[in-house]
Amino acid sequence: MAPASFWNSSKTVCVMDASGRLGSALVHRLLRRGYTVHAAVHSHEEMHRYKRQSMEKKELRVFHSDPLDYHSILDALRGCCALFYSFELPSDHSTYDEFMGELEVRAAHNVLEACAQTDTIEKVVFTSSATAVVWREHDDSRTSDVDERNWSDVNFCNKFKLWHGLSKTIAEKTAWALAMDREVNMVSINAGLLMYPDLSIKDPYLLGAAEMFKDGVLVTVDLDFLVDAHICVFEDISSYGRYLCFNGIINCNDDVVKLAKMLLPSSPSQDMFDDDSVHQQRISNMKLRKLMVDFESRLQMTSD
């Protein structure tokens, strides 16, 4: 476990892409924890927003950084001890398709290569998805839970056009291969469906949601918990490998109704769903839960 002084150090970290829900929340939480933050964004609109904030906070610096532009990544990483990386869909490409994986893989390769070439980088926290874990051929004899040791089957994803799972799986595998080859200290967060007020039925994570529900692996995560998990795996020097990150599971009719009410303009009634069974949870985040015990205790102490 890292010493207490580490948690309020003046070290500099980079958040990329800092314009998304997760990235923006990470920037603000890291600033509150005493870090100097390089906010890397590829949207000019977000650049202006962060520049206004940086005028008031000397610990915040903003960089225009495109994950497909290797040199712009190097600029944002200069002087940083860590990178929090998440891939955001380009503004001109609002959903996943069979070509998105190529973009996401190129971005992951560029980012890890840039980290390997930055002498000050001590750790990379790579945001992936639970969809890079849960997709595989069904086997009725299978009784073991799914956890971070599992990988989605790319052939299965391709066959059933599960583009989000396919992209996340290939990109994360690319990042891990490069991290091991270049000896970059990396951990990944495989997040469940991020819950937020304007969540849409068009969210690419939800492709195949009915199958995930029946398999007991449709998991969700709140933004605060996701941010805590990222900071925890960064600050704890014992963290390693992959971490499945979720704090909710949708495995019964009531859960489906609640989710449907968020996603659909007209609220569905309970009668619309004829599946009254509760599907056994078949996915585990025990590895992350164990790591976060002390972290959550510290948070509780600081809030008292």
Side-chain angles (χ1 to χ4, degrees):
M1 185 183 302
S5 59
F6 180 88
W7 293 308
N8 291 306
S9 71
S10 59
K11 288 189 174 183
T12 302
V13 299
C14 179
V15 176
M16 181 187 303
D17 180 1
S19 60
R21 289 181 182 84
L22 172 61
S24 181
L26 273 170
V27 167
H28 293 295
R29 185 75 64 83
L30 289 162
L31 287 171
R32 289 204 303 270
R33 290 179 75 78
Y35 292 97
T36 296
V37 179
H38 287 192
V41 298
H42 56 255
S43 160
H44 289 288
E45 183 179 334
E46 288 298 315
M47 276 281 293
H48 294 312
R49 181 174 72 85
Y50 271 114
K51 279 185 175 179
R52 288 195 296 270
Q53 294 180 32
S54 66
M55 293 173 67
E56 302 173 1
K57 299 177 181 178
K58 63 180 181 179
E59 298 85 5
L60 175 62
R61 297 182 62 193
V62 59
F63 293 81
H64 184 263
S65 184
D66 184 343
L68 300 179
D69 179 356
Y70 176 74
H71 294 288
S72 72
I73 301 170
L74 286 174
D75 289 341
L77 292 178
R78 191 168 291 115
C80 293
C81 71
L83 169 67
F84 293 86
Y85 171 74
S86 59
F87 179 83
E88 296 290 334
L89 287 171
S91 57
D92 60 348
H93 211 119
S94 60
T95 189
Y96 278 82
D97 57 27
E98 61 267 43
F99 305 111
M100 184 51 62
E102 298 176 15
L103 264 178
E104 193 158 356
V105 168
R106 283 173 54 201
H109 184 279
N110 284 344
V111 166
L112 266 296
E113 184 61 49
C115 288
Q117 299 301 323
T118 304
D119 293 338
T120 54
I121 292 291
E122 298 171 4
K123 183 179 279 190
V124 176
V125 181
F126 186 96
T127 307
S128 185
S129 172
T131 61
V133 173
V134 300
W135 291 120
R136 52 184 173 171
E137 291 286 354
H138 288 77
D139 180 359
D140 292 336
S141 65
R142 186 185 61 193
T143 57
S144 61
D145 282 348
V146 174
D147 63 21
E148 59 281 332
R149 292 170 294 184
N150 297 102
W151 284 93
S152 288
D153 184 331
V154 294
N155 293 323
F156 181 87
C157 290
N158 196 53
K159 178 181 178 181
F160 292 100
K161 301 181 179 181
L162 300 164
W163 306 128
H164 187 267
L166 182 66
S167 296
K168 294 300 179 183
T169 303
I170 298 175
E172 189 190 345
K173 283 192 170 185
T174 298
W176 275 116
L178 200 56
M180 289 186 283
D181 183 63
R182 301 290 196 272
E183 297 184 344
V184 175
N185 179 18
M186 185 177 109
V187 291
S188 69
I189 295 287
N190 293 77
L193 173 66
L194 180 60
M195 305 297 281
Y196 54 93
D198 55 342
L199 181 65
S200 165
I201 192 71
K202 295 180 180 180
D203 191 296
Y205 189 107
L206 288 166
L207 188 63
E211 288 74 18
M212 284 190 277
F213 168 66
K214 292 174 183 176
D215 289 344
V217 296
L218 181 54
V219 290
T220 64
V221 65
D222 297 328
L223 183 59
D224 284 343
F225 185 80
L226 184 58
V227 171
D228 285 347
H230 277 73
I231 295 177
C232 175
V233 300
F234 164 55
E235 292 185 342
D236 195 318
I237 61 174
S238 70
S239 65
Y240 69 95
R242 308 169 84 204
Y243 289 87
L244 262 170
C245 181
F246 60 90
N247 60 349
I249 183 160
I250 297 172
N251 63 345
C252 68
N253 193 28
D254 288 344
D255 297 332
V256 173
V257 172
K258 289 177 184 177
L259 179 61
K261 285 182 177 179
M262 289 184 63
L263 301 176
L264 303 174
S266 55
S267 298
S269 67
Q270 190 86 9
D271 298 334
M272 288 180 64
F273 303 95
D274 56 5
D275 186 355
D276 293 327
S277 60
V278 175
H279 298 279
Q280 180 182 356
Q281 178 175 338
R282 298 191 56 257
I283 186 168
S284 171
N285 63 351
M286 185 59 68
K287 182 183 176 186
L288 178 64
R289 285 289 189 183
K290 286 180 178 178
L291 191 74
M292 290 187 69
V293 169
D294 290 336
F295 182 79
E296 290 173 338
S297 297
R298 293 197 305 275
L299 286 179
Q300 197 168 24
M301 288 172 60
T302 56
S303 64
D304 288 345

